[in-house]
Amino acid sequence: MDKQPNQQPVLRIPWGLAERMQTLLHPAPFHERFAFAAARPLQSGPEQAQATLLEQLIVIGGNDYERASPGGLALTDDASARMNQWALQLAKHGWIAVHLHSHPPGVSHFSHTDDAAESQLAAWLLQQGVAGYWSLVWPAGGKPRARLWLQGVEVPGRVVLGLAPVEPEASAQSPALDRQRAFGPALQQVAEQLSIGVVGVGGLGMLALEQLARAGFRRFVLVDPDTIEITNLNRLPSVTRRDIGRPKVRVGKRLIRQIGAALGHTPQIVAFPRDIYQSVAAQRALQRCDLILALTDNDLSRTMALRLAFDAGREYLQAGADITLADDGSIAGLRAEVTGAETGRYCPICSGRLSPAQAAIEARAYAGEEIAAHARQAGYLPDVAAPAVMGLNAVAAGMLVTEIQRRAAGLGVRDLLQVDLHPGEFRAINRILTNQGCDVCGTEPVAAPANAPCDPESLAMPPQVQQMPQSTSDITSHQIFSEGDHETDEIPRTRPTPTRPKRPAARHTQAGRWRSA
């Protein structure tokens, strides 16, 4: 029997942003720190818990602390008042304030001092017409915990870092899935609850679907306008000549159902035999998913999937395989690649994995037959499909599904995976360090060292939130990168990266005096 998902409210934190939070809230030597964040409510489906995505993190300056020690902290009256006003302004635009602070090792729960200060703030915000706010405590060396103050009442919440639940729920494991027990209970919970939108159910997409379904994932939205052709028979699992002419999404739906029945559960699948670029219904369904996968072979559909993911606050991954030919027609590369995106940090456009210029060329196919014919004649829209084989597609699909499993189990996030089987080269990049601004993901050029104060005007704010009043405090907002990080100039690119204008900026607050112990 399928288990009903937990309906506790969820605070989702992108993995890279969580790394910044952990670094900035846990200085060495340790003393308690406070931060403010802006989060936006996410659209939820009928069986999904209320979720909020934390997107903007601000660490207040040293002058805003009345005191800070390993055992507690207190903010000044001015800092508390300023943050309260920020919370009010966020609420006007439909966003939610998040208060974050650290505890020393071993103090994993909210303290009585936290309870008193936060309940007082919740009551004050309610008087101002603000329904609530999130609070998070992250003990040094421990796991973050969060609660939602709603209408003045404390509501326990769940924290999800990227795709990984911080405290996964224990449940009975299907005997058919016993061999993946090494990933722990988190993978099982995510597989049961995660809704995955798949754009492109072709040679790579169908293989990814099969692997995801056999790993226990069971909630899918499939989008692909194409039908099975004879050239698909060498690359698509479970496909026979009887399937020629059938929509790929329906064949994919059949495959998932067969696997679900074998594993003992009933998958939930919505299939759209439509073009993502033209179907509003498909776009809306994708934006209700937790994770969007772009597995097509063109930049236009991937760019559309990326935009949908960012607009809806969803996780995004894309994968591809490419047989590169030399001028004489010989094979020069057998490449597979997986990459993702994160608001305020990186995306396939600013890292050179997607080309807006190529997407614009591909959009000519929708501009009328005369324009499309001219583009094909000029070679911009190829008439002949690129070479493809099942083995290379399976490598890309395996890399993608394994990365999803790693993320779901809380084992970490890799921004880019590349393999070229021809020369035998492999590259795994933990953190892509962009060196330019991007108006798609909101990335800012990284110039200042970590933990150095920066100008509040340089911070990127989600476009839905208007500019807030400046504060007089120093505000720190920097990218923290681990070993294995690379600037984008070091990554082999398939195309030049366009320069993007900067995104506008954001901010924060609190009422009464904020104290923690």
Side-chain angles (χ1 to χ4, degrees):
M1 179 181 294
D2 292 335
K3 180 181 176 182
Q4 293 299 315
N6 190 328
Q7 292 301 310
Q8 280 187 331
V10 175
L11 181 62
R12 291 189 171 273
I13 306 173
W15 190 274
L17 188 56
E19 289 179 333
R20 287 177 52 202
M21 286 171 51
Q22 190 172 21
T23 300
L24 295 169
L25 289 176
H26 302 150
F30 175 80
H31 53 276
E32 287 196 13
R33 301 290 291 175
F34 181 90
F36 185 94
R40 59 165 159 158
L42 300 179
Q43 183 180 8
S44 300
E47 296 185 8
Q48 292 176 309
Q50 174 189 352
T52 308
L53 178 68
L54 194 153
E55 284 198 325
Q56 293 288 324
L57 173 65
I58 305 298
V59 174
I60 65 175
N63 294 335
D64 288 322
Y65 289 94
E66 183 178 278
R67 62 176 175 85
S69 70
L73 64 84
L75 302 181
T76 65
D77 290 340
D78 179 68
S80 295
R82 189 169 65 250
M83 283 186 283
N84 288 334
Q85 294 304 313
W86 287 336
L88 296 181
Q89 293 192 46
L90 280 175
K92 290 179 181 178
H93 299 280
W95 287 61
I96 301 176
V98 184
H99 289 183
L100 314 99
H101 70 284
S102 54
H103 274 180
V107 184
S108 59
H109 294 273
F110 291 95
S111 67
H112 293 302
T113 304
D114 298 337
D115 295 341
E118 293 181 12
S119 61
Q120 179 185 5
L121 173 60
W124 182 86
L125 288 173
L126 190 59
Q127 292 175 354
Q128 311 307 310
V130 178
Y133 73 102
W134 277 93
S135 175
L136 180 143
V137 61
W138 197 331
K143 299 177 180 180
R145 297 176 182 269
R147 57 187 177 186
L148 175 64
W149 289 92
L150 188 62
Q151 301 294 335
V153 177
E154 174 191 354
V155 181
R158 293 180 291 142
V159 179
V160 175
L161 304 182
L163 295 178
V166 169
E167 296 181 312
E169 306 162 10
S171 60
Q173 173 91 320
S174 167
L177 299 172
D178 181 67
R179 297 287 292 272
Q180 64 184 31
R181 61 185 179 276
F183 286 93
L187 174 59
Q188 180 179 348
Q189 177 183 331
V190 173
E192 292 174 354
Q193 299 179 2
L194 193 76
S195 177
I196 304 177
V198 180
V199 182
V201 190
L204 195 161
M206 195 77 75
L207 287 164
L209 280 183
E210 179 174 23
Q211 293 186 34
L212 288 167
R214 293 194 184 280
F217 292 87
R218 61 197 67 179
R219 301 171 187 269
F220 294 93
V221 172
L222 311 181
V223 181
D224 194 317
D226 295 337
T227 58
I228 301 295
E229 300 176 354
I230 193 169
T231 56
N232 299 132
L233 299 182
N234 73 321
R235 292 174 290 116
L236 272 61
S238 80
V239 172
T240 69
R241 283 183 174 269
R242 295 177 62 183
D243 294 312
I244 293 176
R246 290 177 179 169
K248 291 180 178 178
V249 293
R250 291 179 183 164
V251 175
K253 185 175 183 178
R254 181 189 68 195
L255 176 62
I256 296 170
R257 282 180 169 172
Q258 291 172 343
I259 296 172
L263 297 180
H265 63 254
T266 303
Q268 298 178 14
I269 314 154
V270 180
F272 291 91
R274 301 285 185 269
D275 191 323
I276 184 180
Y277 194 66
Q278 297 178 310
S279 174
V280 175
Q283 294 172 15
R284 289 174 178 171
L286 287 168
Q287 290 193 304
R288 289 191 292 270
C289 295
D290 301 304
L291 169 65
I292 296 178
L293 304 179
L295 307 180
T296 60
D297 57 2
N298 66 83
D299 284 28
L300 179 62
S301 56
R302 292 187 179 205
T303 301
M304 173 63 74
L306 177 65
R307 184 184 67 80
L308 293 174
F310 274 136
D311 287 350
R314 307 304 184 184
E315 295 279 322
Y316 173 89
L317 283 168
Q318 67 178 47
D322 178 55
I323 299 177
T324 306
L325 301 180
D327 292 339
D328 62 0
S330 61
I331 291 178
L334 297 169
R335 300 188 176 98
E337 177 179 290
V338 175
T339 189
E342 184 177 313
T343 299
R345 200 164 64 77
Y346 82 108
C347 74
I349 290 180
C350 59
S351 64
R353 321 326 302 163
L354 275 181
S355 168
Q358 179 62 29
I361 291 173
E362 292 166 355
R364 298 181 186 184
Y366 301 88
E369 184 54 38
E370 183 178 348
I371 295 177
H374 183 271
R376 281 191 289 269
Q377 184 178 6
Y380 293 118
L381 298 176
D383 286 320
V384 179
V389 294
M390 190 174 190
L392 188 58
N393 287 341
V395 170
M399 290 164 57
L400 171 69
V401 174
T402 303
E403 178 64 15
I404 293 172
Q405 291 173 311
R406 290 183 68 256
R407 294 184 180 203
L411 300 179
V413 167
R414 291 199 174 103
D415 291 350
L416 180 66
L417 294 167
Q418 293 177 321
V419 63
D420 190 337
L421 298 179
H422 189 54
E425 297 173 350
F426 177 79
R427 175 189 294 251
I429 296 178
N430 291 335
R431 297 294 168 266
I432 292 175
L433 180 61
T434 59
N435 55 10
Q436 61 180 1
C438 177
D439 68 343
V440 175
C441 63
T443 301
E444 295 292 326
V446 178
N451 298 326
C454 67
D455 183 355
E457 288 304 306
S458 69
L459 297 176
M461 172 174 262
Q464 295 91 331
V465 183
Q466 296 179 0
Q467 185 73 17
M468 296 185 183
Q470 296 186 35
S471 81
T472 55
S473 65
D474 292 332
I475 299 178
T476 304
S477 177
H478 299 289
Q479 311 285 5
I480 307 298
F481 298 96
S482 61
E483 292 183 6
D485 306 336
H486 294 263
E487 294 195 14
T488 51
D489 283 345
E490 301 174 7
I491 303 171
R493 292 176 178 167
T494 55
R495 0 187 132 74
T497 302
T499 301
R500 317 293 283 174
K502 292 184 180 180
R503 221 173 160 184
R507 274 179 267 301
H508 1 310
T509 301
Q510 196 153 17
R513 294 285 294 282
W514 208 95
R515 300 176 183 274
S516 171

